[in-house]
Each structure stands twice: as C-alpha cells, then as structure tokens.
Amino acid sequence: MKIDKYMSRTGIYPRRETGRLIQAGRITINGTVCEKGAEVETGDLVAVDGQPVSLSQEEFVYLALNKPVGITCTAAREVEGNIIDYVNYPSRIFAVGRLDKQSEGLILMTNDGDIVNKIMRSENRHEKEYRVSVDKPVTPEFLQAMSAGVPILGTVTKPCVTYPVDEQEFGIILTQGLNLQIRRMCKELGQRVLRLERTRIMNITLDGLARGEWRHLTREELDELLATLNRQ
C-alpha cells in the first residue's frame, strides 16, 4: 500500500503529517529514505527517525466531544489545555480538524487516519454546521452577504447556507474550513463574533452531549458516516 495510507493506518500519523515527515527525510523503508508515493510491501520495515512503525492492532476508536472554550485542538502535550490531555482517553487518538481555542462545540476524535483524511479533503464538501452570536443585529443583508461568499485570506469563500436564529444569532453551514473562517467573514462584514459553537459534522450532532463531555459514536452514526465517506 502507499506510504501515506500505511502511516495513517498506524493511528498515529495523519497523511498531512506523513507528507511533512517525507519531505524532511525522516521516514525510511528498509533503511532507505522514503520518497513521496513509495509503496510498502508485507514484511517491509518502516521507521520514523529510526524508530519502527507498525500498523496498529488496536480497534479503531471514534469519539464525539463537545469541546469547551479554552481547550486547544493540538496533540502537543506541552501545550497547556491540549485536547489530548483533556479527553484523557486510554489509547492514542487525535482530533479530526480543529476548533479554535475560543470556539466550542462538536469535534470528532479517532485513531483512524483514513477517516481523518477523507473528512478533511475540501473537495469532498462535507457539511459542518455552526451557531454564531455577534455584537450587532443580524440582518437579511448580512446573511445574504455571508452566504454569497466573502473575500478573506486572498480568496472568496464558497457559497454556503445561512439562517437567522435570534436578533444577534445566526446559523451557518460550511463545506470548507479556512483558518478562522467564520470569524474572518463576520469581521469583513462589520460584525464581531461573541460566541461560536459547532453543532454538526456531516451526520454527527451535539444532541444529548453536555459541554465538556465526550461519547463513542453509535453504530448507526458510524455506519452512516463511513458509508458517505466510502462513496467518495
């Protein structure tokens, strides 16, 4: 199998991280520095910085976490308030994507590198839904501008769905994930975000999950999620 798929199936290295390791010359196969697109055969010895890496024998874990404000979505244990220490799961897992430190709500965690890559690919246009509170009234014009696309970070955001919730709160459904996208979009349109909560990723929602708590995905949720991803 391809080296990036092999590394993701270890439950330790998502494909983006594998790419960085290959570029830095830190992965070897049978003692030879690995190149992009290399194949791993049965019996090959794969190592990172000289340390052997083998496919995980653990069962895959899929969690939904209702992340509170103040927790950082990083696997770096030296960062105070990192999400790995917060969840304190007994085996190694990592977050699927990010929520910035000041945002809250749904984030998925797993040791299945393949599912991370499939969810994160922007071309797959997976829906993520948010509730956003801002410092000024939400007008029809503001919602229309948000949904049509906003110029940020040298590009224009993809069209999206927006809907009013309250006088100063709205919902938004995105299919892309630019850095601090919603906050930047609101700022560009003269609004400041006061609270940002992710309520859904594809078919997984926050329903019944208190802030700060996590749970395993149900069999039904996982089956639907995997079926959608495997069609792409």
Side-chain angles (χ1 to χ4, degrees):
M1 77 181 65
K2 295 287 188 183
I3 183 62
D4 56 350
K5 183 172 184 178
Y6 178 93
M7 296 294 283
S8 71
R9 289 185 63 185
T10 66
I12 301 174
Y13 301 99
R15 294 194 186 190
R16 289 183 180 178
E17 176 65 14
T18 296
R20 289 192 287 267
L21 292 172
I22 291 174
Q23 189 172 20
R26 295 173 57 189
I27 299 178
T28 58
I29 301 176
N30 299 325
T32 301
V33 174
C34 174
E35 296 183 356
K36 184 178 179 180
E39 295 278 350
V40 180
E41 305 290 344
T42 301
D44 284 346
L45 176 61
V46 179
V48 175
D49 297 333
Q51 298 299 310
V53 175
S54 59
L55 294 184
S56 173
Q57 300 303 309
E58 297 177 332
E59 291 191 6
F60 286 138
V61 174
Y62 306 93
L63 307 181
L65 166 69
N66 189 345
K67 184 189 93 66
V69 171
I71 298 301
T72 303
C73 292
T74 179
R77 306 298 283 271
E78 66 272 15
V79 175
E80 185 177 355
N82 70 81
I83 196 168
I84 304 302
D85 284 344
Y86 180 80
V87 173
N88 195 29
Y89 197 76
S91 61
R92 179 162 182 150
I93 56 174
F94 42 83
V96 182
R98 297 176 61 87
L99 274 176
D100 69 80
K101 187 175 182 178
Q102 298 309 312
S103 297
E104 59 192 292
L106 181 63
I107 190 157
L108 303 182
M109 302 192 70
T110 185
N111 56 0
D112 181 352
D114 274 348
I115 198 175
V116 177
N117 300 315
K118 290 175 180 178
I119 292 177
M120 295 297 290
R121 286 185 194 136
S122 60
E123 65 267 25
N124 287 341
R125 299 180 62 83
H126 298 308
E127 289 188 349
K128 299 179 180 68
E129 188 166 0
Y130 302 79
R131 286 287 184 90
V132 188
S133 297
V134 289
D135 63 340
K136 299 174 185 175
V138 173
T139 64
E141 293 77 17
F142 168 77
L143 292 178
Q144 172 59 32
M146 288 284 285
S147 65
V150 180
I152 61 170
L153 298 173
T155 187
V156 177
T157 59
K158 293 178 180 178
C160 62
V161 174
T162 59
Y163 55 90
V165 174
D166 207 338
E167 182 180 4
Q168 292 182 221
E169 184 177 5
F170 68 97
I172 183 169
I173 302 173
L174 300 181
T175 57
Q176 66 181 143
L178 301 177
N179 183 39
L180 300 175
Q181 180 171 342
I182 295 173
R183 295 181 186 276
R184 293 179 189 275
M185 291 171 72
C186 288
K187 182 178 180 180
E188 183 70 21
L189 296 177
Q191 292 273 27
R192 182 168 65 89
V193 172
L194 302 179
R195 179 173 177 266
L196 194 157
E197 178 184 43
R198 183 157 63 197
T199 59
R200 178 172 65 90
I201 299 173
M202 299 174 65
N203 64 301
I204 313 300
T205 72
L206 279 180
D207 292 352
L209 193 59
R211 187 171 297 113
E213 292 185 349
W214 60 265
R215 63 171 176 82
H216 292 272
L217 298 191
T218 67
R219 184 74 254 173
E220 292 76 16
E221 287 175 327
L222 184 57
D223 285 347
E224 182 177 346
L225 181 68
L226 295 178
T228 300
L229 295 174
N230 289 334
R231 286 196 296 267
Q232 298 167 333

